[in-house]
Amino acid sequence: MRQTSTGNKRPRAMARMPLTAAICVALGGMAFAGTALAQQAEDEQPSLDTITVTAQKRTEKAQDVPISLNVIGQQQLDELQVNDFEDYAKLLPSVSITPLGPGFGQVYMRGVVSGGDGNHSASAPSVGVYLDEQPITTIQGALDLHVYDIERVEALSGPQGTLYGASSESGTLKIVTRKPDPSGFAAGYGLEANSVNGGGIGHVAEGFVNIPMSDSAAIRLVGWQKRDAGWIDNVRGTRTYPTSGIVDDNFDRARDDYNVADTVGARLAARFDLGEHWTVTPTVMGQRQESKGSWSYDTTIGRDKIMHAYPESADDRWTQAALTVQGKIGNFDLTYAFAHLKRDVDSESDYSDYGFWYDTLAGYGAYFYDDNGDLVNPAQYIQAKDGYRKTSHELRIASPQDQRFRFVGGLFWTQHFHDIEQRYRIDDLASLLSVRGWEDTIWLTKQERRDKDRAIFGEVSFDFTDKLTATAGFRHFRNENSLKGFFGFSDGYFPQTNQPVERLYGQAACINRYGSDPNLWPSFNGAPCTVFDKTLTEKGTLGKFNLAYKPVSDKMLYFTWSEGYRPGGINRRGILPPYLTEYLTNYEVGWKTAWMGNRLTFNGAAFHQVWDDFQFPVLGLNGLTEIRNANQARIQGLEMDVNWAATYNLKLSAGIGLYNAELTENYCGEIAAGGKPITDCASPLAPEGTRLPVTADYKGNVNARYTFDIGSFEAYWQGSFVYEGRRTSDLRLEERDILGSMPAYSLFDMSVGIRKDNWSVDLYIKNLFDENAQYNRYVQCPERVCGNRPDGLPVHPVPAQYANGQVYAFGAQPRTIGIKFSQEF
């Protein structure tokens, strides 16, 4: 069904591990345990809570939704001490993450990942993140929202293109907040202190109040303040730049527990019932997160250690205003959702590896001098300002849910603006070498990016019988991506004579376009000029078909064919061709079953996904991210989860995802006319059959909670175990050898607590065995340079410490012990 204006095996056995066998045995054993236990009297059996979701833009029971869906409810979020995205992502087998520090990070689902996302001018995310009805996904990732007073988190696996659109190619995460309630007053608070092994002391203070104003109106105010303690040590050290002999000493920045973050935020929501059928819910929410230091460590130094000499900080401020109107026109439900997000991030980051490695391998230190002609330290650091503005509107209508024929459809519009400033600085740099008007700036990116998405969508369902239902859907979209502005060096740094066309940028392009007199150059937001101004417009249609069969009321089988997409766009290096829209097609067979009077649920799905023309970012010339359409990949997998109320006191749950994700065509790193990838080459960078990066072949978790009485107190103990297999760091074979793989890891959390009346005390330990779980590995410049794999011999000897290059890793927080006091009224 897909149509677009731009146009366009082997199997591999999945790895087997003890965890896989253990969880599969547990799943199967629990599923068939019902034969013996069903003999118990029904009124003696405990039962699982019924969970409702809005995954299909309707309120339904989770067990009735014919898609692969994981839900973490309010109670479980509290029980598992979930505070942020990383806490709940590890509980979702289908989700993989590559953290980039507080406030930013990438999320992937079902192995749909090529690696390298997250640049300010790179591809849009492949997983959509929603807060209630409003998308909160920005180009560099979703908002890092503190998780408190949240009703549930829904994880929708597989393409959700018809109902959710562009950034829901491989799945959607929905964070649903608790709403104002006119029926009565409620309030609560929590106070927490925690200590990180080998690190500092952190804390959390949070609270809410629900105030009825009348029988038809209420407000809910939520606030939080927290400190994330540091554990990365910036150790004292020196670095000698070989060409000049200049020694860099970080004595003024060396300190223990270098990485800390302070977060404060609030949410104010109101509810107004206008008559019997209409409700208006306005919400204003904001958060400020100030962080210092680095959340990654240098593998050449050791775990949780780094040696940086330049400023590293981020000030992330955002506010979102939202409005949801729900009502009825006759028997039809009408919903309008509006949101406006304003986000500003000021950041600094150490980029000294770039200067050191290019000096060591190619003698680049000879090109950096001051106004007197003396060589200066070529170490760079980045000062950046990112301003985001995102506005979205959705209007949809739904027919009565109890009818044999029913539908939901609507209109969607969003515009995302990103004001980009990236200033690469070298102290005491000569005026001749600095970008005009920007002191000590060797490179400047000053650009504006706009992403627009307009769509019409709909789904219709028909009950052939009371057991068989078919659903068909579509989404027709029109996307526009534009990027304009300045990027590059000064004229003095980059000689103009005999310059190849492909290297014309920066002030060189200003001269060629506007003449040699800088006074005649029209500036761009303070930059010397506009180097390029490009727009890409694409349109297409996505489809979906689902068939659900319920032989009995609490058991369902389903088949789904669905499509998702990620829009194309303009490359940051404006002279390159644009990258085109990529598509994901999903074929899925699943089941949802409840047993023993809803004491046990056993759900799962097997799927086959085809990923066409996927966008692959690489570090190109001068360390600039370039996005090219690669080729085709295939992801096959199996996901299963089980929840069991074993007794009144004991509840068990487990989940597992197994994934076989690999290329089905060669990746040659080149594109043909029209932007299509070349797949026939003598020496592919990644041959057919290469495993996709970042996602493991298997990921699973097991949770157990036991409650009991101690006198007049209610008590509990709880354990949570997460296992993820080995992951590769890059698609290209040479680069992944340089970076190395992320090894398999196991994380175990546990907690105990007591409760009486309206108060409770919880003692928890996260990462009990202090596992060094790695989520991401990277270098600061092209892998062959900062990873020390040059084509020829280096100009200067490589220090022994860096014999294997300089690779950084993002790791899980070390063992953390915390205590929390909570009270509700």
Side-chain angles (χ1 to χ4, degrees), residues 281 294 409:
T281 308
S294 172

Side-chain angles (χ1 to χ4, degrees), residues 114-133:
S114 60
D117 294 326
N119 185 271
H120 54 78
S121 294
S123 305
S126 62
V127 174
V129 182
Y130 278 70
L131 180 64
D132 295 323
E133 295 282 350

Side-chain angles (χ1 to χ4, degrees), residues 502-513:
E502 66 270 21
R503 301 184 70 177
L504 263 179
Y505 48 76
Q507 291 180 211
C510 297
I511 294 171
N512 287 334
R513 294 179 63 185

Side-chain angles (χ1 to χ4, degrees), residues 168-219:
S168 291
E169 177 187 32
S170 60
T172 300
L173 293 175
K174 295 189 67 176
I175 304 169
V176 182
T177 62
R178 296 175 69 184
K179 304 300 188 294
D181 184 1
S183 65
F185 175 85
Y189 67 93
L191 300 173
E192 175 185 328
N194 54 68
S195 174
V196 180
N197 183 44
I201 303 296
H203 67 263
V204 180
E206 53 197 11
F208 78 91
V209 59
N210 183 90
I211 305 174
M213 296 184 292
S214 69
D215 292 340
S216 59
I219 60 172

